[in-house]
Amino acid sequence: MDKRSTFIIHMNIAAKPKPFSDNHSWFSATLRSITDSPKFIYSYTNVINGFSAVLSSDELHALRQSPGFLSAYADKQATLDTTHTSQFLSLNHDAGLWPASNYGEDIIIGVIDSGVWPESDSFNDKGMRDIPKKWKGKCESGAGFNSSVCNLKLIGAPYFNKGLMAATNSEISLFGDSATARDSMGHGTHTSSTAAGSEVTGASFHGYGGGIARGAMPRARLAIYKALWDNGRYASDVLAAMDQAITDGVDIISISMGFDGVPLHEDPIAIASFAAMEKGILVSASAGNSGPDLSTMHNGIPWVLTVAAGTVGRKFFATLTLGNGRDFSGGVSLYPAKALLLNVPLVYNKTFSSCNSSETLSAMAEDMIVLCDFTSSIDYQMRSVTQSNAAGAIFINDNLDAAKDFTCPSVIVSAKDGFELLNYVKEHKETATVTVSFQQTLVDVKPAPAVAEYSSRGPSPSFPGVLKPDIMAPGEKIIAAWVPTRSTAKLGRTPLASDFNIMSGTSMATPHVSGVAALLKSVHSEWSPSEIKSAILTTANTLDNTLEPIKELADRVPMVTASALAMGAGQVDPNKAMDPGLVYETGTEEYVSLLCASNYTSKQIMAITRWRSAAALNCSKASKDLNYPSFIAIFDDGDYVQRFVRTVTNVGYEGSVYKVKVVSPGGVDIRVKPETLVFKEKYEKLNYEVQIKRSRKRSEKKYSDGSIIWLDIKGKYKVRSPVVVVV
């Protein structure tokens, strides 16, 4: 029997016969014409002109012959990629973007994810006004999820599982999930509360990071679209969720997942976000967690705001005090108990230093703290110590984030600190002791931020001609709301629950930027998605909290200065983004011209843009030079000069004058004409041209960074665009 699979089908609506009153009836009739047993999944309204259905190869072949057929591709699965971060981003109650936007109360953020745990206090609606009248969405009821759980904060919670059920041919409940928007994974609850969680006092992760938990936009409304499930995350469901979000009237879409290795015309996020952009909705999406190698990112989509992950100036640790009075605070620990190990014998022995045998540890180190060499997986070592009679362990490992769970009283220290501890034990064999105090949190750790090692790097495999990622935001060890059905830690073999959890990834960075974008939308309701993106990029911070250039983590000692291919324009700076001085605006026609110039066929462009016909496409002005607030110049062997033209809009004050400052990357010379921009009026537009000339022959591919900065002569504005050159 011919195997049947789910396909996403794009149709040319210009070919719809007149008797059909709407697209859905035409799609249904088309499907019935090629099969006696049609299995329709979704009919899409906004994101594509088309539908998804279960088809055999013969049925797909027949469908390809149908009038109006454009393209089809198989359904595919997505990859999933707080108490301190608001302070780290300088968001405060006294001045800046928070009070200026009224904390974004009338802005609606749509989060496409694994659902929500509505009972979490992060979704309380205390003091909130009525829901904006523009809202058209709903809260879908189901088993254990009554629509009454929604409120003035959580205003929508639909779910989308038809693609999953078609692919797995089974009921959701068989996998411990439920056919509702309730989150069983935790990911959606964490990301949505990071974007717009209400203030919660006394939040912490088992005593670590205590304080007030709040989202980047604490009074915004949230609509959570569940399209990710425990046993699958299918493109057809993601498309349906984004389609509904557009219909419902969200202002910002936040999506912390991506589809690896797919071209733009088959990428559901690229296609759906194009429709969102045309409706004035900005889409913020994660770059992925496949770093530190180059060209590892997904969501490198020109019309999407692509987010990298950085560290936060905060550390969770345990203090060590040796018997000789020497203190160590460099170790990392998340042991989930308020424990104090007082003057416990500290031992090291080559027989058990690998810490991979619970029997040996029990026999030779009972009620002692053992020093463990980096000889095997730290999770394996942790398990062995936990199952033994040892009192705890100090693991020597230069990867301080190597442990997933601290199931026993334990600390991870660097090789440098480990060397000192070893010397102490060897000098005091019979009397060595250590006191360990857990649940310690340190803020204002330096240097920070730094690009996280796992954060995916550009250039974008799907579209290298636009510099990606765009921006970096806090993504490392973020504390946010969690579901009580999934453990957050273990004490021995006992799983522990918590209302908050620590997670890391570009998934966590993205909702920070989504929240900032929503705040900007609240202050500047007239701004388009590209203008919001421009404001965020051109005001980004390129320095860490030591006032040195931001570094990147990638198993390098010492750390190297971060490239724009790792951090984009830099760390998001919300308060500066509120008043950027100049913005770059990019419209639909420019994106279409970009696609026209990039060897996409008319059918592929129609699939992305939903244009009615190939004849309607205007490729007469095809150009790869997008009016984007960043530059990437990739030189071929015979290519020595590249030119770019940019248009900037003055959103500062009348009569403003800007002078250009150029930092040329290695191997090229950059010239900007004119060197001065004089704006007589607010909202006036002016052009400038950039010429990048290669000054050396290419022996091997090399990436180098620079910048083009427009400086307001009154000193108020600094409008910076990163430049990456490949020669």
Side-chain angles (χ1 to χ4, degrees):
M1 183 177 178
D2 197 0
K3 183 181 177 182
R4 295 165 68 84
S5 303
T6 302
F7 290 88
I8 296 169
I9 297 98
H10 293 259
M11 301 290 284
N12 180 3
I13 60 170
K16 181 180 69 177
K18 290 183 179 179
F20 293 104
S21 59
D22 56 45
N23 291 347
H24 177 74
S25 58
W26 176 43
F27 298 156
S28 297
T30 301
L31 191 59
R32 288 196 302 271
S33 72
I34 56 100
T35 177
D36 295 329
S37 55
K39 192 168 182 181
F40 205 84
I41 305 299
Y42 293 108
S43 177
Y44 303 105
T45 303
N46 299 294
V47 292
I48 69 171
N49 292 324
F51 60 98
S52 51
V54 178
L55 302 169
S56 67
S57 57
D58 289 342
E59 290 166 344
L60 179 61
H61 177 75
L63 181 63
R64 292 182 187 277
Q65 316 309 313
S66 300
F69 175 86
L70 273 181
S71 63
Y73 47 88
D75 205 357
K76 54 183 71 73
Q77 290 213 56
T79 302
L80 280 180
D81 297 336
T82 150
T83 58
H84 177 63
T85 52
S86 56
Q87 294 97 318
F88 190 63
L89 295 177
S90 299
L91 288 166
N92 64 78
H93 295 287
D94 298 323
L97 192 51
W98 263 358
S101 65
N102 194 27
Y103 305 88
E105 187 159 11
D106 289 330
I107 298 298
I108 303 168
I109 302 178
V111 181
I112 316 296
D113 216 298
S114 65
V116 63
W117 196 268
E119 293 83 3
S120 169
D121 204 27
S122 289
F123 306 114
N124 77 77
D125 63 354
K126 296 172 185 174
M128 297 192 73
R129 300 183 305 207
D130 290 342
I131 296 170
K133 292 182 179 179
K134 65 183 177 181
W135 176 244
K136 303 181 183 68
K138 61 181 180 179
C139 197
E140 291 188 17
S141 295
F145 193 98
N146 193 288
S147 60
S148 63
V149 297
C150 287
N151 56 22
L152 300 178
K153 158 66 74 174
L154 178 62
I155 62 175
Y159 63 93
F160 304 86
N161 59 15
K162 294 178 182 177
L164 169 67
M165 293 175 69
T168 58
N169 197 29
S170 60
E171 294 293 328
I172 300 294
S173 59
L174 295 178
F175 296 88
D177 216 331
S178 62
T180 70
R182 184 170 294 283
D183 186 8
S184 62
M185 192 183 301
H187 193 268
T189 299
H190 199 280
T191 56
S192 55
S193 62
T194 299
S198 300
E199 289 194 354
V200 181
T201 58
S204 74
F205 173 81
H206 300 288
Y208 294 90
I212 299 175
R214 57 170 76 86
M217 193 175 187
R219 295 187 72 80
R221 319 298 174 132
L222 281 165
I224 315 300
Y225 298 82
K226 183 173 180 177
L228 310 182
W229 303 82
D230 282 350
N231 60 312
R233 306 140 193 166
Y234 285 87
S236 54
D237 291 329
V238 172
L239 273 173
M242 295 184 74
D243 192 72
Q244 188 63 50
I246 294 171
T247 297
D248 289 345
V250 304
D251 297 295
I252 304 291
I253 291 177
S254 184
I255 187 162
S256 291
M257 67 179 125
F259 294 84
D260 298 322
V262 292
L264 290 184
H265 60 279
E266 293 185 4
D267 186 338
I269 296 176
I271 294 166
S273 60
F274 193 94
M277 174 270 299
E278 287 191 294
K279 299 278 188 179
I281 302 167
L282 183 141
V283 177
S284 172
S286 51
N289 300 332
S290 299
D293 292 338
L294 296 176
S295 298
T296 51
M297 65 184 301
H298 50 219
N299 293 328
I301 302 161
W303 44 89
V304 162
L305 182 54
T306 313
V307 186
T311 62
V312 180
R314 177 177 60 188
K315 174 184 171 184
F316 306 120
F317 66 105
T319 57
L320 305 175
T321 304
L322 302 182
N324 62 4
R326 175 79 163 90
D327 288 327
F328 290 83
S329 60
V332 168
S333 181
L334 282 170
Y335 180 61
K338 190 171 181 61
L340 175 65
L341 303 180
L342 187 62
N343 293 324
V344 178
L346 178 64
V347 294
Y348 176 83
N349 189 302
K350 279 292 184 183
T351 304
F352 57 76
S353 63
S354 61
C355 295
N356 57 13
S357 169
S358 59
E359 291 83 2
T360 303
L361 289 170
S362 293
M364 302 185 68
E366 183 176 1
D367 296 328
M368 301 177 183
I369 293 179
V370 294
L371 272 170
C372 300
D373 288 335
F374 177 37
T375 55
S376 59
S377 160
I378 202 163
D379 287 332
Y380 186 82
Q381 290 178 315
M382 187 80 71
R383 187 163 54 248
S384 296
V385 175
T386 302
Q387 293 172 355
S388 76
N389 292 327
I394 299 172
F395 300 101
I396 302 172
N397 193 320
D398 269 334
N399 181 2
L400 298 180
D401 299 315
K404 181 180 179 183
D405 289 311
F406 287 78
T407 53
C408 65
S410 52
V411 186
I412 303 175
V413 300
S414 67
K416 178 177 177 293
D417 286 346
F419 181 75
E420 284 195 52
L421 293 173
L422 286 170
N423 282 341
Y424 166 70
V425 172
K426 290 175 182 177
E427 292 173 5
H428 304 80
K429 272 190 176 181
E430 304 300 325
T431 60
T433 62
V434 63
T435 295
V436 188
S437 179
F438 294 94
Q439 294 186 337
Q440 306 293 311
T441 301
L442 181 66
V443 296
D444 199 27
V445 174
K446 294 179 172 60
V451 184
E453 181 176 2
Y454 53 75
S455 189
S456 293
R457 271 65 165 173
S460 165
S462 62
F463 210 100
V466 174
L467 179 57
K468 294 284 179 170
D470 289 306
I471 197 74
M472 183 176 76
E476 180 69 12
K477 292 188 174 66
I478 304 303
I479 298 178
W482 194 246
V483 300
T485 53
R486 290 239 170 165
S487 67
T488 56
K490 290 181 180 178
L491 200 56
R493 297 183 181 181
T494 304
L496 302 177
S498 173
D499 292 332
F500 292 87
N501 195 12
I502 291 175
M503 295 188 74
S504 299
T506 55
S507 282
M508 285 62 250
T510 299
H512 282 98
V513 176
S514 302
V516 172
L519 289 167
L520 293 175
K521 183 70 173 178
S522 182
V523 174
H524 299 286
S525 59
E526 76 282 4
W527 279 4
S528 67
S530 63
E531 289 174 307
I532 293 173
K533 182 196 295 187
S534 172
I536 290 172
L537 267 64
T538 60
T539 59
N541 194 352
T542 60
L543 303 179
D544 62 27
N545 55 7
T546 68
L547 301 182
E548 292 293 324
I550 291 172
K551 307 298 192 296
E552 58 179 288
L553 305 177
D555 278 341
R556 300 187 183 105
V557 179
M559 296 188 294
V560 298
T561 299
S563 164
L565 294 172
M567 70 173 184
Q571 172 90 341
V572 63
D573 191 328
N575 295 323
K576 286 184 180 178
M578 181 173 60
D579 188 14
L582 305 175
V583 293
Y584 295 75
E585 185 174 8
T586 312
T588 301
E589 291 184 3
E590 289 180 83
Y591 290 122
V592 173
S593 295
L594 180 70
L595 294 170
C596 288
S598 304
N599 299 321
Y600 285 87
T601 67
S602 59
K603 286 187 176 182
Q604 290 169 345
I605 296 174
M606 288 168 66
I608 296 170
T609 65
R610 307 171 333 284
W611 285 60
R612 292 181 62 86
S613 66
L617 284 173
N618 181 10
C619 284
S620 61
K621 297 181 179 179
S623 172
K624 291 184 178 180
D625 187 14
L626 192 67
N627 195 42
Y628 211 76
S630 61
F631 299 83
I632 182 167
I634 303 174
F635 285 88
D636 297 324
D637 288 338
D639 190 7
Y640 283 87
V641 178
Q642 292 194 27
R643 291 180 174 85
F644 304 85
V645 176
R646 293 289 189 268
T647 301
V648 286
T649 304
N650 176 29
V651 294
Y653 55 87
E654 292 181 1
S656 55
V657 179
Y658 289 82
K659 290 188 176 293
V660 73
K661 176 184 177 182
V662 176
V663 179
S664 291
V668 300
D669 177 64
I670 296 180
R671 300 291 172 88
V672 178
K673 295 182 180 179
E675 295 182 349
T676 303
L677 297 175
V678 180
F679 295 92
K680 297 178 181 178
E681 300 175 349
K682 192 171 183 177
Y683 305 120
E684 183 182 355
K685 296 179 185 290
L686 291 177
N687 297 334
Y688 69 91
E689 180 180 329
V690 177
Q691 176 183 280
I692 302 179
K693 185 177 181 180
R694 182 166 64 174
S695 58
R696 67 184 180 201
K697 289 187 176 181
R698 173 168 153 179
S699 56
E700 59 178 317
K701 184 183 288 187
K702 291 184 179 179
Y703 295 87
S704 54
D705 285 72
S707 60
I708 294 172
I709 307 168
W710 289 101
L711 298 168
D712 165 34
I713 62 171
K714 291 185 178 180
K716 182 176 182 180
Y717 298 116
K718 176 182 177 182
V719 186
R720 180 184 179 275
S721 293
V723 179
V724 169
V725 173
V726 187
V727 294

